[in-house]
């Protein structure tokens, strides 16, 4: 599927070089590992989002699901590290349930995924805030936070590797395999390309689509666990993450409305966004301006893709 | 309304044509859709336009309506040459076209639809009082005011009444020429009578009416003259009173088979029944009985709206049968979705390869393997045991490689990819609908040979087609449909006249043995 080097990798490399010129520490192993650690949640989220995008949909609910995971975990663990394991398991179950719901409503009730997941975004956030009374409550114990902020030490050559980076690597490999090497992934792309032809070819469209939403929601649970570990309990931890994930997928060459997209591209897209924000920070851009840029980027990336398709 | 007030009918024979087309030629890439066609219509006349699918009727109509500009030839309106750069101009000059698909907004009222974009204004706002009055006046003139209220939403009207709204709209433009394309396709018999009455009334008021239809009964009931088109050329214009339906059929067909077809099935090719239907029906089909055996190609002929394509869609579970029985390989089955059909190893190929056959952005390989993957566990490795190269070789695919996106293939090669997709899962009940529509002549012959070789290899093939020579050239038996039923069966090598007689509802049954 990846015949030539997609432009996003060139852009990513260029931004990384620029950052290194401004901040030589970035080009060291620990510097780059820190960068990857910060980028990991967004990259994992982009990987999950891509499953839904290639099938022709959107999953806007992931940001709120992240918030729910962070707030819900601190509530359920309730300060006792012994609870961490089962609480994480519960979070995955919640994620799967949200994914099944999104996919089922979209498939069977024919509600466009944009609306289904927009509704879910509002509902999940509302539910999370109701649960905690509207403010961040409690804290996350160390054995929960280790995934997001600790490092595996004594690794040959690299010395220390953040757990988040290892998790990102595993997610990247598994997601790439699922999308590009299994019958499910191929059917998902065919479904996004031409739903009618896919149905007439015997593709079980509802099942295939529901699983895509489950993949996206699962990625949100993983991202939530990492973000909770990295930055602790807050009520706006997930805000805007869905847009970042969609932007990343589009930057990575995915076609909105489905049929085209690669997993390495989407992950590179997420890393590029993170690198760009790092760069703009170094250049002294204020944060609101950096945040605002994201909207411009997604519009620009989609316009660029549309322009290229028209030309060919 | 029309400038000419109730002109007496007796003057029509020698009357000046209101609209005249002279030597109209229209070319599209690779096809001459119309070749020097002349056509005229007079005030107070109904002029029927007939011809097989692809004869050029709709191109002619679109030129009339200003949707296409002719490459050659002239259009005269009241004796003056005119050219329309936009459909809107044709309408303003008095030519109204009522298409099969109505151009009405379902959630607007009758009045709002009729005067869409031309609403009477008062101080810059829509004058609803006048809008209502003008519409009521128009409907009364048509004599339909007892059925249609100006303030009813269009979606709440039956199809026949929606059509009358279209006619009222056409009249509101003070039309001199009214073109109706298959106006009775969606109407019941009673509604057809109603429409006929209305058309006669408009004719007597002096409108010139071009009436496009497949239905001989209506044509002979209403037309003064009939023009027959075939393959983009005019065969002739005749007075309706001087010809019989059989004459008309002869004019519509009577061309040589335009391609070389492979041999029919030999007796030893034919095996056991793979697909059987008994008393099957749904809301558009009724009492369908048929058998397709291994090794044979059964053709399905029928005009548009006869249920030809609906039959295949019902078998494949897209609009499933709701009654009757269906057997596949002798086993009684119910097919309620395409997935169930695919599991029974049925295959489906239509002329809409881009909409229904292929994922255009994906490479040859992924398209070929799509059905195969759909039938395997979801998480199975994408590339299983199948050799895609072998499959594409079997259908003689010409592509730059298995990684070429199918959007860049020619129409014939795209159809071959769709076929390969079904071969990959060894589908042996194959349903084809216009498999070669829109494909150039050479590729067509290639597909025909391929279909025959599939039959030879023991597959049961049910092929519906709007192309009569194709049906005749390919089919070992021919089923002719009309009005949602199988109206008769003909043996291999039946003539077009025999098929048309059944397809237009003239005769019922088979060939008298």
């Amino acid at each position: 599927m990846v015949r030539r080097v997609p432009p996003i990798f060139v852009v990513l490399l260029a931004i990384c070089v620029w950052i290194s010129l401004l901040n030589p520490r970035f080009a060291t192993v620990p510097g780059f590992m820190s960068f990857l650690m910060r980028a990991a949640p967004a990259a994992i989220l982009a990987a999950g989002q891509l499953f839904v995008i290639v099938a022709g949909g959107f999953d806007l609910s992931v940001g709120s699901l992240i918030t729910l995971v962070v707030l819900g975990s601190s509530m359920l663990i309730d300060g006792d590290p012994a609870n961490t394991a089962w609480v994480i398991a519960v979070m995955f179950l919640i994620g799967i349930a949200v994914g099944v719901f999104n996919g089922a409503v979209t498939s069977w009730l024919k509600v466009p995924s944009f609306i289904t997941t927009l509704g879910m975004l509002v509902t999940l956030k509302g539910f999370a805030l109701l649960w905690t009374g509207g403010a961040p409550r409690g804290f996350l114990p160390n054995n929960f936070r280790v995934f997001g902020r600790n490092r595996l030490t004594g690794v040959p050559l690299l010395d220390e590797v953040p757990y988040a980076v290892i998790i990102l690597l595993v997610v990247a490999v598994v997601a790439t395999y699922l999308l590009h090497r299994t019958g499910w992934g191929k059917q998902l792309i065919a479904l996004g390309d031409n739903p009618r032809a896919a149905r007439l070819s015997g593709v079980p469209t509802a099942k295939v689509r529901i699983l895509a939403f489950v993949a996206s929601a699962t990625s949100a649970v993983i991202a939530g666990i990492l973000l909770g570990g990295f930055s602790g309990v807050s009520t706006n931890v997930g805000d805007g993450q869905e847009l970042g994930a969609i932007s990343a997928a589009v930057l990575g060459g995915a076609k909105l409305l489905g049929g085209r997209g690669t997993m390495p591209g989407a992950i590179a897209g997420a890393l590029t966004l993170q690198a760009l924000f790092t760069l703009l920070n170094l250049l002294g851009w204020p944060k609101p301006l950096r945040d605002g840029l994201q909207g411009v980027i997604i519009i620009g990336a989609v316009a660029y893709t549309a322009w290229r398709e028209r030309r060919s | 309304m029309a400038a000419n007030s109730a002109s007496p009918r007796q003057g029509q024979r020698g009357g000046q044509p209101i609209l005249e087309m002279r030597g109209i030629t229209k070319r599209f890439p690779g096809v001459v859709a119309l070749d020097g066609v002349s056509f005229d219509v007079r005030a107070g006349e109904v002029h029927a336009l007939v011809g097989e699918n692809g004869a050029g009727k709709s191109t002619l109509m679109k030129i009339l309506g200003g949707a296409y500009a002719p490459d050659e030839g002239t259009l005269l309106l009241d004796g003056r040459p005119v050219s329309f750069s936009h459909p809107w101009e044709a309408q303003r000059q008095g030519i109204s076209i009522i298409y099969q698909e109505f151009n009405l907004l379902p959630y607007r009222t009758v009045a709002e639809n009729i005067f869409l974009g031309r609403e009477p204004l008062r101080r810059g706002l829509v004058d609803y009082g006048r809008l209502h009055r003008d519409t009521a006046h128009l409907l009364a003139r048509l004599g339909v005011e007892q059925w249609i209220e100006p303030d009813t939403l269009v979606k709440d009207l039956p199809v026949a009444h929606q059509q009358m709204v279209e006619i009222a709209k056409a009249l509101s433009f003070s039309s001199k020429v009214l073109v109706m394309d298959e106006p009775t396709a969606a109407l019941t018999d009673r509604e057809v009578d109603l429409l006929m009455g209305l058309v006669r009334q408009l004719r007597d008021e002096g409108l010139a009416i071009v009436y496009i239809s497949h239905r001989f009964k209506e044509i002979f009931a209403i037309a003064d003259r009939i023009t027959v088109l075939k393959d983009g050329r005019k065969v002739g214009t005749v007075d309706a009173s001087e010809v019989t339906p059989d004459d008309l059929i002869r004019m519509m067909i009577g061309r040589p088979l335009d391609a070389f077809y492979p041999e029919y099935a030999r007796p030893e090719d034919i095996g056991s029944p793979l697909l059987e239907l008994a008393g099957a029906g749904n809301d558009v089909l009724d009492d369908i009985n048929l058998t397709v055996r291994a090794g044979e190609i059964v053709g399905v002929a029928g005009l548009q709206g006869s249920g030809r394509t609906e039959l295949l869609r019902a078998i494949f579970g897209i609009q499933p049968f709701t009654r009757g029985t269906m057997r596949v390989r002798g086993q009684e089955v119910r097919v309620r979705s395409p997935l169930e059909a695919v599991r029974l190893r049925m295959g489906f190929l239509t002329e809409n390869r881009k909409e229904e056959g292929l994922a255009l952005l994906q490479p040859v390989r992924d398209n070929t393997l799509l059905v195969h993957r759909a039938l395997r566990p979801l998480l199975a490795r994408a590339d299983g045991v199948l050799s895609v190269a072998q499959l594409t070789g079997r259908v003689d695919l010409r592509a730059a490689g298995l990684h070429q996106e199918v959007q860049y293939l020619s129409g014939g090669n795209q159809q071959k990819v769709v076929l390969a997709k079904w071969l990959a899962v060894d589908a042996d009940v194959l349903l084809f609908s216009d498999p070669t529509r829109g494909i150039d002549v050479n590729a067509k012959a290639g597909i025909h040979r391929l279909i025959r070789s599939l039959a030879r290899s023991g597959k049961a093939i049910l092929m519906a087609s709007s192309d009569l020579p194709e049906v005749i050239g390919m089919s070992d038996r021919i089923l002719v449909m009309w009005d949602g039923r199988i109206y008769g069966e003909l043996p291999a090598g039946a003539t077009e006249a025999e098929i048309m007689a059944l397809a237009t509802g003239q005769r019922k049954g088979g060939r008298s043995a």
Side-chain angles (χ1 to χ4, degrees), chain B residues 244-260:
Chain B
T244 64
D246 282 343
D247 295 335
L248 216 50
I249 289 171
R250 257 194 300 282
M251 289 174 76
M252 286 169 68
I253 54 179
R255 61 182 149 169
L257 292 191
D258 54 9
F260 180 71

Side-chain angles (χ1 to χ4, degrees), chain B residues 9 48 94 130 141 155 162 179 213 228 345 351 402 422 445-446 477 481 500:
Chain B
R9 286 202 64 202
R130 216 183 113 200
R141 207 191 130 216
K155 74 171 176 67
Q162 292 186 8
V179 183
S213 180
V228 180
R345 288 194 287 123
E351 75 273 20
L402 300 182
W422 298 112
R477 284 187 290 133
M481 294 193 69
M500 287 302 286

Side-chain angles (χ1 to χ4, degrees), chain B residues 169-189:
Chain B
K169 185 175 176 179
L171 290 181
S172 74
F173 280 95
S174 306
S175 298
K176 301 174 203 157
V177 180
L178 183 61
V179 183
M180 306 177 88
D181 182 20
E182 295 277 349
T184 57
L187 304 190
T188 63
D189 287 349

